[in-house]
Amino acid sequence: MQFAIVLGFDKIKQIDEAVDKIGKEVNPFFVDSGYFPHVTLILYEAENVDSVKKFYQIRPFKLSIKTKGISGFNGEKSTVFIDVEKDKDLLKLHDKYLRITDIELSDYYKTENYHPHITLATDLMPEEVLKAKEIAESIKVPKSIQPTHVSLIDATAKPYKVIGTVVIR
């Protein structure tokens, strides 16, 4: 199974509209997936959720996520996203969650490779990337986003299944 620990936030109209428009006009990957805009802190493989029981022990905190505009990862399955600043507060939180499990993480989520972002579209074919970026760039991305909760997600389930949530105070 694949689990993720993610930072969530209240609905942001512009982001939701971009995800919906890309889904309708370009690639419906997120339709019926249970996806909600978030910043993934860690993603790992495990046989069961017991590997992160300590998830609930991390105390509520305040954090501001700073955005840097629209960007993307290109490859076999390209992604378009809102780039997030990798500042010391976000890295400190990322590292706290890395320490709650001894499971080997994907290289993408190790501190030196970690690239925080808010996915708007994924699994894009090369010919879909430009249209998805065009739609994404038409939104007014908030410069700062206040996370409201951290959730533990079963990312293997479709739709995604939220296993637990800690509210940020």
Side-chain angles (χ1 to χ4, degrees), residues 3-7 39-42 52 55 97 100 150-152:
F3 297 97
I5 296 176
V6 303
L7 279 173
V39 175
T40 302
L41 291 167
I42 64 172
V52 289
F55 163 80
Y97 281 103
I100 68 172
V150 178
S151 294
L152 176 61

Side-chain angles (χ1 to χ4, degrees), residues 5-166:
I5 296 176
V6 303
L7 279 173
F9 37 86
D10 287 336
K11 288 195 163 287
I12 298 172
K13 183 180 175 184
Q14 305 94 307
I15 294 174
D16 290 342
E17 286 176 357
V19 170
D20 290 345
K21 189 170 182 178
I22 292 169
K24 288 175 184 161
E25 295 182 20
V26 182
N27 183 313
F29 180 82
F30 288 136
V31 175
D32 298 326
S33 71
Y35 174 82
F36 57 91
H38 62 270
V39 175
T40 302
L41 291 167
I42 64 172
L43 180 72
Y44 65 96
E45 298 279 340
E47 288 185 29
N48 61 57
V49 74
D50 293 340
S51 59
V52 289
K53 287 179 187 174
K54 296 178 191 174
F55 163 80
Y56 296 103
Q57 295 173 3
I58 293 181
R59 295 165 61 192
F61 54 89
K62 288 187 180 181
L63 178 72
S64 181
I65 296 172
K66 296 166 192 73
T67 63
K68 302 189 309 183
I70 303 300
S71 192
F73 298 128
N74 292 317
E76 223 174 278
K77 294 181 179 180
S78 296
T79 300
V80 172
F81 56 84
I82 299 170
D83 211 357
V84 169
E85 187 176 313
K86 189 169 144 176
D87 65 16
K88 66 178 176 72
D89 291 334
L90 185 57
L91 280 176
K92 184 177 174 183
L93 182 63
H94 175 261
D95 288 343
K96 278 184 182 183
Y97 281 103
L98 283 178
R99 288 193 296 272
I100 68 172
T101 181
D102 57 2
I103 293 172
E104 187 68 25
L105 300 174
S106 159
D107 282 343
Y108 296 120
Y109 290 92
K110 292 181 179 174
T111 302
E112 62 274 13
N113 299 330
Y114 181 54
H115 189 127
H117 61 277
I118 302 167
T119 301
L120 299 174
T122 194
D123 278 4
L124 298 171
M125 301 301 292
E127 62 274 10
E128 297 172 323
V129 174
L130 288 177
K131 179 66 176 168
K133 276 190 176 181
E134 185 179 294
I135 292 168
E137 288 169 350
S138 72
I139 69 171
K140 184 173 170 52
V141 177
K143 296 288 183 202
S144 180
I145 297 172
Q146 304 303 313
T148 56
H149 59 279
V150 178
S151 294
L152 176 61
I153 295 173
D154 176 349
T156 307
K158 298 298 180 227
Y160 296 146
K161 179 181 175 189
V162 176
I163 296 167
T165 296
V166 175

